[in-house]
Amino acid sequence: MWNAILYLWVLNGLTVALFAWDKLSARWSRGRVPEHLLLWLSALGGSPAALLSRWLFRHKTRKQPFGRWLWSIVLFQITALVILLGKDLL
């Protein structure tokens, strides 16, 4: 259980850091973090940090393909969580 909590803390911290780095890189016209990497981090469990980072840094908010993919990942994770928790309740 503690390994899973540690994994999620580290992954979400990394996700916030990469969103912040990508925002700074965009401002400075430097090399960017690929969108697919940000989406993979979200899919692996960093979606809370991705949603928070989009709001906090006002980054990737107008990128519609990115936004649709991110919300699809979040909805899939919520659905999977409800199904898994529902099985444990029966």
Side-chain angles (χ1 to χ4, degrees), residues 8-73:
L8 289 173
W9 270 100
V10 170
L11 186 66
N12 280 275
L14 179 62
T15 302
V16 169
L18 284 178
F19 264 86
W21 179 257
D22 193 42
K23 178 66 174 189
L24 287 174
S25 296
R27 284 188 178 175
W28 296 336
S29 299
R30 302 231 173 138
R32 303 287 303 274
V33 177
E35 286 186 356
H36 70 271
L37 177 59
L38 297 173
L39 290 171
W40 268 109
L41 289 172
S42 299
L44 293 173
S47 56
L51 293 174
L52 177 67
S53 297
R54 284 184 77 199
W55 173 78
L56 187 65
F57 303 125
R58 295 177 191 185
H59 189 51
K60 301 271 186 212
T61 56
R62 293 184 289 177
K63 301 284 279 189
Q64 273 317 304
F66 181 86
R68 281 193 293 269
W69 277 108
L70 181 59
W71 280 108
S72 297
I73 290 167

Side-chain angles (χ1 to χ4, degrees), residues 74-86:
V74 170
L75 290 175
F76 176 79
Q77 290 173 338
I78 290 171
T79 303
L81 187 63
V82 167
I83 289 171
L84 289 174
L85 290 178

